[in-house]
Amino acid sequence: MEALQPYLEAALKKEVDHAIVIETSKVLTEPWVRMRCQFGCFMYGKSLCCPPRTPTPDEMRKILDSYRCGILLHRHIRKGYKYVDEFNEIIVDLERTIFLDNYYKAWAIGSGPCTRCKECNVAGACLHADKARPSMESCGIDVFRTAKENGLPITVVKDHSQSRDVYGLILVE
Ligand code: SF4
């Protein structure tokens, strides 16, 4: 969509490697994604932005289907989790810009667990609700297949020292 081009350019200026407009039908959800969160991730149940508090794959499918398109963003990170945080910050800031431009449904999801607080306030409300967003994977999105089927790079990393490809999505309208 031509109207979203300025947002793609704004993202690329902030060291995002790819930003493409994507139909939400091309964002893929799968039941196994939730299973991998529940049985395989130490963050399960420990954050307001992680399962089981995030939308299930079925709920996320309905959310995705209530939008026509969004912006898929990719960044290749050589080292350091702080760059994932920086990437998530770029996404949520861009969500706000898009929202203020009258795309009233704009909503962003990023990559990895929320790290804004030393310990998540799981017993109460989010301490940074204006900025904290769940990750694509925590909402049941198959990030690998979504990236690959849209021509973008992603591979399994073997340990935390390896470079990685991270993704975010801003649902627009
Ligand atoms: S901002 Fe803090 S309270 Fe909110 S989800 Fe993230 S870690 Fe939890």
Side-chain angles (χ1 to χ4, degrees):
M1 261 184 67
E2 200 62 30
L4 301 183
Q5 190 62 32
Y7 306 121
L8 307 187
E9 285 163 18
L12 295 173
K13 275 189 196 145
K14 302 222 160 173
E15 295 178 42
V16 168
D17 293 309
H18 294 96
I20 60 169
V21 176
I22 183 171
E23 288 172 26
T24 52
S25 60
K26 307 263 168 53
V27 180
L28 308 166
T29 53
E30 291 284 359
W32 65 261
V33 182
R34 186 74 161 199
M35 188 191 66
R36 281 197 58 89
C37 283
Q38 189 166 355
F39 305 104
C41 181
F42 70 96
M43 281 303 291
Y44 183 81
K46 292 192 181 147
S47 166
L48 295 167
C49 279
C50 283
R53 294 177 176 85
T54 49
T56 64
D58 283 349
E59 287 166 348
M60 193 61 200
R61 184 73 262 153
K62 285 184 189 150
I63 293 166
L64 288 165
D65 291 345
S66 71
Y67 288 82
R68 203 162 51 89
C69 68
I71 298 172
L72 182 65
L73 303 110
H74 159 248
R75 190 183 212 185
H76 184 72
I77 291 179
R78 276 172 188 79
K79 218 170 196 185
Y81 205 85
K82 72 172 183 166
Y83 295 108
V84 181
D85 292 340
E86 190 184 273
F87 177 69
N88 288 332
E89 201 71 27
I90 290 165
I91 291 169
V92 84
D93 286 348
L94 192 56
E95 175 215 87
R96 180 156 176 78
T97 301
I98 294 170
F99 173 76
L100 293 175
D101 283 347
N102 215 26
Y103 290 99
Y104 57 88
K105 289 166 68 175
W107 184 63
I109 43 180
S111 177
C114 180
T115 56
R116 282 177 192 277
C117 309
K118 264 197 173 145
E119 206 169 310
C120 185
N121 190 37
V122 281
C126 178
L127 303 175
H128 300 278
D130 57 332
K131 293 226 164 182
R133 298 289 183 276
S135 65
M136 292 174 71
E137 57 274 23
S138 77
C139 297
I141 293 172
D142 181 344
V143 180
F144 275 72
R145 198 148 74 89
T146 299
K148 283 181 177 177
E149 292 198 2
N150 286 283
L152 296 173
I154 190 164
T155 50
V156 170
V157 292
K158 294 184 174 59
D159 61 58
H160 289 296
S161 67
Q162 286 194 318
S163 63
R164 70 196 59 210
D165 296 291
V166 294
Y167 283 85
L169 175 70
I170 307 173
L171 295 169
V172 179
E173 64 173 357

PDB file of all heavy atoms in Angstrom, residues 82-108:
ATOM      1  N   LYS A  82      20.391  -6.168  23.988  1.00  0.00           N
ATOM      2  CA  LYS A  82      19.943  -4.771  24.034  1.00  0.00           C
ATOM      3  C   LYS A  82      19.467  -4.294  22.651  1.00  0.00           C
ATOM      4  O   LYS A  82      18.624  -3.414  22.545  1.00  0.00           O
ATOM      5  CB  LYS A  82      21.027  -3.853  24.599  1.00  0.00           C
ATOM      6  CG  LYS A  82      22.183  -3.619  23.679  1.00  0.00           C
ATOM      7  CD  LYS A  82      23.105  -2.551  24.246  1.00  0.00           C
ATOM      8  CE  LYS A  82      24.215  -2.304  23.261  1.00  0.00           C
ATOM      9  NZ  LYS A  82      24.996  -1.156  23.454  1.00  0.00           N
ATOM     10  N   TYR A  83      20.013  -4.903  21.601  1.00  0.00           N
ATOM     11  CA  TYR A  83      19.592  -4.504  20.262  1.00  0.00           C
ATOM     12  C   TYR A  83      18.196  -5.037  19.926  1.00  0.00           C
ATOM     13  O   TYR A  83      17.501  -4.468  19.096  1.00  0.00           O
ATOM     14  CB  TYR A  83      20.619  -4.953  19.220  1.00  0.00           C
ATOM     15  CG  TYR A  83      21.942  -4.257  19.418  1.00  0.00           C
ATOM     16  CD1 TYR A  83      23.039  -4.937  19.910  1.00  0.00           C
ATOM     17  CD2 TYR A  83      22.069  -2.900  19.146  1.00  0.00           C
ATOM     18  CE1 TYR A  83      24.244  -4.288  20.127  1.00  0.00           C
ATOM     19  CE2 TYR A  83      23.264  -2.236  19.361  1.00  0.00           C
ATOM     20  CZ  TYR A  83      24.351  -2.937  19.860  1.00  0.00           C
ATOM     21  OH  TYR A  83      25.537  -2.285  20.081  1.00  0.00           O
ATOM     22  N   VAL A  84      17.811  -6.150  20.593  1.00  0.00           N
ATOM     23  CA  VAL A  84      16.430  -6.625  20.434  1.00  0.00           C
ATOM     24  C   VAL A  84      15.494  -5.623  21.121  1.00  0.00           C
ATOM     25  O   VAL A  84      14.463  -5.244  20.569  1.00  0.00           O
ATOM     26  CB  VAL A  84      16.250  -8.040  21.040  1.00  0.00           C
ATOM     27  CG1 VAL A  84      14.819  -8.530  20.835  1.00  0.00           C
ATOM     28  CG2 VAL A  84      17.237  -9.027  20.440  1.00  0.00           C
ATOM     29  N   ASP A  85      15.883  -5.185  22.323  1.00  0.00           N
ATOM     30  CA  ASP A  85      15.082  -4.177  23.041  1.00  0.00           C
ATOM     31  C   ASP A  85      14.953  -2.899  22.205  1.00  0.00           C
ATOM     32  O   ASP A  85      13.878  -2.307  22.113  1.00  0.00           O
ATOM     33  CB  ASP A  85      15.724  -3.832  24.396  1.00  0.00           C
ATOM     34  CG  ASP A  85      15.664  -5.002  25.368  1.00  0.00           C
ATOM     35  OD1 ASP A  85      14.832  -5.908  25.153  1.00  0.00           O
ATOM     36  OD2 ASP A  85      16.444  -5.010  26.331  1.00  0.00           O
ATOM     37  N   GLU A  86      16.049  -2.498  21.606  1.00  0.00           N
ATOM     38  CA  GLU A  86      16.057  -1.285  20.778  1.00  0.00           C
ATOM     39  C   GLU A  86      15.110  -1.458  19.581  1.00  0.00           C
ATOM     40  O   GLU A  86      14.351  -0.553  19.235  1.00  0.00           O
ATOM     41  CB  GLU A  86      17.495  -1.049  20.299  1.00  0.00           C
ATOM     42  CG  GLU A  86      17.736   0.282  19.644  1.00  0.00           C
ATOM     43  CD  GLU A  86      19.168   0.346  19.136  1.00  0.00           C
ATOM     44  OE1 GLU A  86      20.050   0.728  19.925  1.00  0.00           O
ATOM     45  OE2 GLU A  86      19.398   0.002  17.950  1.00  0.00           O
ATOM     46  N   PHE A  87      15.152  -2.637  18.987  1.00  0.00           N
ATOM     47  CA  PHE A  87      14.270  -2.958  17.859  1.00  0.00           C
ATOM     48  C   PHE A  87      12.800  -2.867  18.294  1.00  0.00           C
ATOM     49  O   PHE A  87      11.967  -2.261  17.619  1.00  0.00           O
ATOM     50  CB  PHE A  87      14.608  -4.370  17.359  1.00  0.00           C
ATOM     51  CG  PHE A  87      13.735  -4.883  16.241  1.00  0.00           C
ATOM     52  CD1 PHE A  87      13.797  -4.335  14.972  1.00  0.00           C
ATOM     53  CD2 PHE A  87      12.868  -5.950  16.457  1.00  0.00           C
ATOM     54  CE1 PHE A  87      13.008  -4.823  13.938  1.00  0.00           C
ATOM     55  CE2 PHE A  87      12.084  -6.450  15.435  1.00  0.00           C
ATOM     56  CZ  PHE A  87      12.148  -5.880  14.169  1.00  0.00           C
ATOM     57  N   ASN A  88      12.494  -3.459  19.466  1.00  0.00           N
ATOM     58  CA  ASN A  88      11.110  -3.420  19.960  1.00  0.00           C
ATOM     59  C   ASN A  88      10.665  -1.982  20.233  1.00  0.00           C
ATOM     60  O   ASN A  88       9.502  -1.630  20.031  1.00  0.00           O
ATOM     61  CB  ASN A  88      10.987  -4.278  21.226  1.00  0.00           C
ATOM     62  CG  ASN A  88      11.055  -5.758  20.911  1.00  0.00           C
ATOM     63  OD1 ASN A  88      10.685  -6.186  19.824  1.00  0.00           O
ATOM     64  ND2 ASN A  88      11.531  -6.555  21.860  1.00  0.00           N
ATOM     65  N   GLU A  89      11.604  -1.163  20.695  1.00  0.00           N
ATOM     66  CA  GLU A  89      11.299   0.247  20.966  1.00  0.00           C
ATOM     67  C   GLU A  89      10.953   0.986  19.657  1.00  0.00           C
ATOM     68  O   GLU A  89      10.009   1.772  19.606  1.00  0.00           O
ATOM     69  CB  GLU A  89      12.537   0.892  21.622  1.00  0.00           C
ATOM     70  CG  GLU A  89      12.249   2.154  22.397  1.00  0.00           C
ATOM     71  CD  GLU A  89      11.482   1.893  23.684  1.00  0.00           C
ATOM     72  OE1 GLU A  89      11.591   0.794  24.240  1.00  0.00           O
ATOM     73  OE2 GLU A  89      10.745   2.798  24.102  1.00  0.00           O
ATOM     74  N   ILE A  90      11.715   0.694  18.629  1.00  0.00           N
ATOM     75  CA  ILE A  90      11.462   1.314  17.316  1.00  0.00           C
ATOM     76  C   ILE A  90      10.051   0.961  16.846  1.00  0.00           C
ATOM     77  O   ILE A  90       9.300   1.811  16.355  1.00  0.00           O
ATOM     78  CB  ILE A  90      12.515   0.825  16.283  1.00  0.00           C
ATOM     79  CG1 ILE A  90      13.887   1.406  16.616  1.00  0.00           C
ATOM     80  CG2 ILE A  90      12.098   1.190  14.858  1.00  0.00           C
ATOM     81  CD1 ILE A  90      15.047   0.724  15.888  1.00  0.00           C
ATOM     82  N   ILE A  91       9.684  -0.302  17.047  1.00  0.00           N
ATOM     83  CA  ILE A  91       8.381  -0.777  16.573  1.00  0.00           C
ATOM     84  C   ILE A  91       7.239  -0.085  17.312  1.00  0.00           C
ATOM     85  O   ILE A  91       6.271   0.383  16.708  1.00  0.00           O
ATOM     86  CB  ILE A  91       8.298  -2.311  16.733  1.00  0.00           C
ATOM     87  CG1 ILE A  91       9.252  -2.976  15.741  1.00  0.00           C
ATOM     88  CG2 ILE A  91       6.878  -2.818  16.508  1.00  0.00           C
ATOM     89  CD1 ILE A  91       9.441  -4.445  15.989  1.00  0.00           C
ATOM     90  N   VAL A  92       7.374   0.007  18.631  1.00  0.00           N
ATOM     91  CA  VAL A  92       6.272   0.593  19.407  1.00  0.00           C
ATOM     92  C   VAL A  92       6.174   2.112  19.158  1.00  0.00           C
ATOM     93  O   VAL A  92       5.079   2.679  19.128  1.00  0.00           O
ATOM     94  CB  VAL A  92       6.383   0.197  20.904  1.00  0.00           C
ATOM     95  CG1 VAL A  92       7.309   1.077  21.683  1.00  0.00           C
ATOM     96  CG2 VAL A  92       5.025   0.139  21.551  1.00  0.00           C
ATOM     97  N   ASP A  93       7.316   2.743  18.937  1.00  0.00           N
ATOM     98  CA  ASP A  93       7.298   4.185  18.597  1.00  0.00           C
ATOM     99  C   ASP A  93       6.624   4.396  17.236  1.00  0.00           C
ATOM    100  O   ASP A  93       5.848   5.342  17.056  1.00  0.00           O
ATOM    101  CB  ASP A  93       8.723   4.751  18.557  1.00  0.00           C
ATOM    102  CG  ASP A  93       9.313   4.916  19.950  1.00  0.00           C
ATOM    103  OD1 ASP A  93       8.555   4.816  20.934  1.00  0.00           O
ATOM    104  OD2 ASP A  93      10.532   5.136  20.055  1.00  0.00           O
ATOM    105  N   LEU A  94       6.920   3.487  16.293  1.00  0.00           N
ATOM    106  CA  LEU A  94       6.310   3.609  14.967  1.00  0.00           C
ATOM    107  C   LEU A  94       4.809   3.334  15.035  1.00  0.00           C
ATOM    108  O   LEU A  94       4.015   3.980  14.346  1.00  0.00           O
ATOM    109  CB  LEU A  94       7.012   2.642  13.996  1.00  0.00           C
ATOM    110  CG  LEU A  94       6.714   2.836  12.517  1.00  0.00           C
ATOM    111  CD1 LEU A  94       7.011   4.249  12.041  1.00  0.00           C
ATOM    112  CD2 LEU A  94       7.518   1.831  11.688  1.00  0.00           C
ATOM    113  N   GLU A  95       4.426   2.393  15.878  1.00  0.00           N
ATOM    114  CA  GLU A  95       2.981   2.132  16.084  1.00  0.00           C
ATOM    115  C   GLU A  95       2.286   3.425  16.497  1.00  0.00           C
ATOM    116  O   GLU A  95       1.222   3.767  15.995  1.00  0.00           O
ATOM    117  CB  GLU A  95       2.793   1.065  17.165  1.00  0.00           C
ATOM    118  CG  GLU A  95       1.329   0.824  17.530  1.00  0.00           C
ATOM    119  CD  GLU A  95       1.133   0.511  19.004  1.00  0.00           C
ATOM    120  OE1 GLU A  95       0.985   1.469  19.805  1.00  0.00           O
ATOM    121  OE2 GLU A  95       1.100  -0.668  19.360  1.00  0.00           O
ATOM    122  N   ARG A  96       2.916   4.173  17.421  1.00  0.00           N
ATOM    123  CA  ARG A  96       2.294   5.413  17.923  1.00  0.00           C
ATOM    124  C   ARG A  96       2.190   6.460  16.803  1.00  0.00           C
ATOM    125  O   ARG A  96       1.167   7.110  16.642  1.00  0.00           O
ATOM    126  CB  ARG A  96       3.105   5.953  19.105  1.00  0.00           C
ATOM    127  CG  ARG A  96       2.517   7.218  19.672  1.00  0.00           C
ATOM    128  CD  ARG A  96       2.897   7.476  21.110  1.00  0.00           C
ATOM    129  NE  ARG A  96       2.363   8.762  21.560  1.00  0.00           N
ATOM    130  CZ  ARG A  96       1.116   8.960  21.901  1.00  0.00           C
ATOM    131  NH1 ARG A  96       0.258   7.968  21.866  1.00  0.00           N
ATOM    132  NH2 ARG A  96       0.699  10.159  22.275  1.00  0.00           N
ATOM    133  N   THR A  97       3.258   6.572  16.023  1.00  0.00           N
ATOM    134  CA  THR A  97       3.236   7.522  14.901  1.00  0.00           C
ATOM    135  C   THR A  97       2.094   7.189  13.948  1.00  0.00           C
ATOM    136  O   THR A  97       1.336   8.069  13.515  1.00  0.00           O
ATOM    137  CB  THR A  97       4.583   7.456  14.135  1.00  0.00           C
ATOM    138  OG1 THR A  97       5.622   7.763  15.042  1.00  0.00           O
ATOM    139  CG2 THR A  97       4.611   8.423  12.968  1.00  0.00           C
ATOM    140  N   ILE A  98       1.963   5.899  13.630  1.00  0.00           N
ATOM    141  CA  ILE A  98       0.926   5.461  12.687  1.00  0.00           C
ATOM    142  C   ILE A  98      -0.460   5.718  13.276  1.00  0.00           C
ATOM    143  O   ILE A  98      -1.361   6.227  12.600  1.00  0.00           O
ATOM    144  CB  ILE A  98       1.137   3.970  12.330  1.00  0.00           C
ATOM    145  CG1 ILE A  98       2.446   3.797  11.548  1.00  0.00           C
ATOM    146  CG2 ILE A  98      -0.027   3.417  11.529  1.00  0.00           C
ATOM    147  CD1 ILE A  98       2.884   2.351  11.335  1.00  0.00           C
ATOM    148  N   PHE A  99      -0.608   5.402  14.562  1.00  0.00           N
ATOM    149  CA  PHE A  99      -1.884   5.638  15.244  1.00  0.00           C
ATOM    150  C   PHE A  99      -2.259   7.122  15.186  1.00  0.00           C
ATOM    151  O   PHE A  99      -3.405   7.474  14.856  1.00  0.00           O
ATOM    152  CB  PHE A  99      -1.767   5.168  16.705  1.00  0.00           C
ATOM    153  CG  PHE A  99      -2.948   5.519  17.552  1.00  0.00           C
ATOM    154  CD1 PHE A  99      -4.142   4.823  17.454  1.00  0.00           C
ATOM    155  CD2 PHE A  99      -2.871   6.569  18.468  1.00  0.00           C
ATOM    156  CE1 PHE A  99      -5.242   5.162  18.235  1.00  0.00           C
ATOM    157  CE2 PHE A  99      -3.965   6.910  19.259  1.00  0.00           C
ATOM    158  CZ  PHE A  99      -5.155   6.200  19.139  1.00  0.00           C
ATOM    159  N   LEU A 100      -1.301   7.992  15.497  1.00  0.00           N
ATOM    160  CA  LEU A 100      -1.591   9.435  15.515  1.00  0.00           C
ATOM    161  C   LEU A 100      -1.888   9.988  14.124  1.00  0.00           C
ATOM    162  O   LEU A 100      -2.462  11.054  13.989  1.00  0.00           O
ATOM    163  CB  LEU A 100      -0.427  10.198  16.166  1.00  0.00           C
ATOM    164  CG  LEU A 100      -0.249   9.919  17.667  1.00  0.00           C
ATOM    165  CD1 LEU A 100       0.991  10.628  18.209  1.00  0.00           C
ATOM    166  CD2 LEU A 100      -1.477  10.320  18.477  1.00  0.00           C
ATOM    167  N   ASP A 101      -1.494   9.243  13.098  1.00  0.00           N
ATOM    168  CA  ASP A 101      -1.828   9.636  11.719  1.00  0.00           C
ATOM    169  C   ASP A 101      -3.218   9.129  11.325  1.00  0.00           C
ATOM    170  O   ASP A 101      -3.542   9.058  10.136  1.00  0.00           O
ATOM    171  CB  ASP A 101      -0.772   9.102  10.741  1.00  0.00           C
ATOM    172  CG  ASP A 101       0.498   9.929  10.780  1.00  0.00           C
ATOM    173  OD1 ASP A 101       0.490  11.027  11.362  1.00  0.00           O
ATOM    174  OD2 ASP A 101       1.515   9.468  10.227  1.00  0.00           O
ATOM    175  N   ASN A 102      -3.991   8.747  12.330  1.00  0.00           N
ATOM    176  CA  ASN A 102      -5.401   8.385  12.127  1.00  0.00           C
ATOM    177  C   ASN A 102      -5.648   6.941  11.725  1.00  0.00           C
ATOM    178  O   ASN A 102      -6.762   6.591  11.349  1.00  0.00           O
ATOM    179  CB  ASN A 102      -6.076   9.343  11.140  1.00  0.00           C
ATOM    180  CG  ASN A 102      -7.508   9.600  11.513  1.00  0.00           C
ATOM    181  OD1 ASN A 102      -7.875   9.482  12.684  1.00  0.00           O
ATOM    182  ND2 ASN A 102      -8.339   9.924  10.540  1.00  0.00           N
ATOM    183  N   TYR A 103      -4.609   6.103  11.817  1.00  0.00           N
ATOM    184  CA  TYR A 103      -4.830   4.670  11.663  1.00  0.00           C
ATOM    185  C   TYR A 103      -5.170   4.132  13.056  1.00  0.00           C
ATOM    186  O   TYR A 103      -4.304   3.632  13.780  1.00  0.00           O
ATOM    187  CB  TYR A 103      -3.576   3.990  11.110  1.00  0.00           C
ATOM    188  CG  TYR A 103      -3.290   4.333   9.677  1.00  0.00           C
ATOM    189  CD1 TYR A 103      -2.344   5.311   9.356  1.00  0.00           C
ATOM    190  CD2 TYR A 103      -3.956   3.691   8.639  1.00  0.00           C
ATOM    191  CE1 TYR A 103      -2.061   5.630   8.030  1.00  0.00           C
ATOM    192  CE2 TYR A 103      -3.679   3.999   7.310  1.00  0.00           C
ATOM    193  CZ  TYR A 103      -2.735   4.968   7.014  1.00  0.00           C
ATOM    194  OH  TYR A 103      -2.463   5.283   5.703  1.00  0.00           O
ATOM    195  N   TYR A 104      -6.437   4.283  13.421  1.00  0.00           N
ATOM    196  CA  TYR A 104      -6.833   4.108  14.822  1.00  0.00           C
ATOM    197  C   TYR A 104      -6.721   2.672  15.334  1.00  0.00           C
ATOM    198  O   TYR A 104      -6.757   2.440  16.533  1.00  0.00           O
ATOM    199  CB  TYR A 104      -8.269   4.622  15.023  1.00  0.00           C
ATOM    200  CG  TYR A 104      -9.280   3.956  14.123  1.00  0.00           C
ATOM    201  CD1 TYR A 104      -9.912   2.782  14.503  1.00  0.00           C
ATOM    202  CD2 TYR A 104      -9.566   4.490  12.866  1.00  0.00           C
ATOM    203  CE1 TYR A 104     -10.813   2.159  13.653  1.00  0.00           C
ATOM    204  CE2 TYR A 104     -10.464   3.868  12.013  1.00  0.00           C
ATOM    205  CZ  TYR A 104     -11.086   2.710  12.413  1.00  0.00           C
ATOM    206  OH  TYR A 104     -11.960   2.076  11.579  1.00  0.00           O
ATOM    207  N   LYS A 105      -6.542   1.706  14.431  1.00  0.00           N
ATOM    208  CA  LYS A 105      -6.421   0.311  14.874  1.00  0.00           C
ATOM    209  C   LYS A 105      -4.966  -0.112  15.085  1.00  0.00           C
ATOM    210  O   LYS A 105      -4.715  -1.250  15.488  1.00  0.00           O
ATOM    211  CB  LYS A 105      -7.041  -0.623  13.822  1.00  0.00           C
ATOM    212  CG  LYS A 105      -8.556  -0.549  13.766  1.00  0.00           C
ATOM    213  CD  LYS A 105      -9.113  -1.213  12.513  1.00  0.00           C
ATOM    214  CE  LYS A 105      -8.936  -2.703  12.490  1.00  0.00           C
ATOM    215  NZ  LYS A 105      -9.614  -3.316  11.304  1.00  0.00           N
ATOM    216  N   ALA A 106      -4.017   0.773  14.813  1.00  0.00           N
ATOM    217  CA  ALA A 106      -2.598   0.382  14.824  1.00  0.00           C
ATOM    218  C   ALA A 106      -2.213  -0.278  16.144  1.00  0.00           C
ATOM    219  O   ALA A 106      -2.532   0.217  17.228  1.00  0.00           O
ATOM    220  CB  ALA A 106      -1.715   1.603  14.570  1.00  0.00           C
ATOM    221  N   TRP A 107      -1.526  -1.408  16.020  1.00  0.00           N
ATOM    222  CA  TRP A 107      -1.085  -2.166  17.203  1.00  0.00           C
ATOM    223  C   TRP A 107       0.140  -2.981  16.822  1.00  0.00           C
ATOM    224  O   TRP A 107       0.157  -3.635  15.781  1.00  0.00           O
ATOM    225  CB  TRP A 107      -2.206  -3.091  17.701  1.00  0.00           C
ATOM    226  CG  TRP A 107      -1.868  -3.817  18.958  1.00  0.00           C
ATOM    227  CD1 TRP A 107      -1.616  -3.256  20.181  1.00  0.00           C
ATOM    228  CD2 TRP A 107      -1.730  -5.232  19.127  1.00  0.00           C
ATOM    229  NE1 TRP A 107      -1.342  -4.249  21.094  1.00  0.00           N
ATOM    230  CE2 TRP A 107      -1.409  -5.472  20.487  1.00  0.00           C
ATOM    231  CE3 TRP A 107      -1.861  -6.327  18.280  1.00  0.00           C
ATOM    232  CZ2 TRP A 107      -1.202  -6.744  21.010  1.00  0.00           C
ATOM    233  CZ3 TRP A 107      -1.659  -7.603  18.789  1.00  0.00           C
ATOM    234  CH2 TRP A 107      -1.341  -7.799  20.143  1.00  0.00           C
ATOM    235  N   ALA A 108       1.146  -2.938  17.696  1.00  0.00           N
ATOM    236  CA  ALA A 108       2.431  -3.569  17.371  1.00  0.00           C
ATOM    237  C   ALA A 108       2.705  -4.785  18.233  1.00  0.00           C
ATOM    238  O   ALA A 108       2.294  -4.842  19.398  1.00  0.00           O
ATOM    239  CB  ALA A 108       3.555  -2.560  17.564  1.00  0.00           C
TER     240      ALA A 108
END
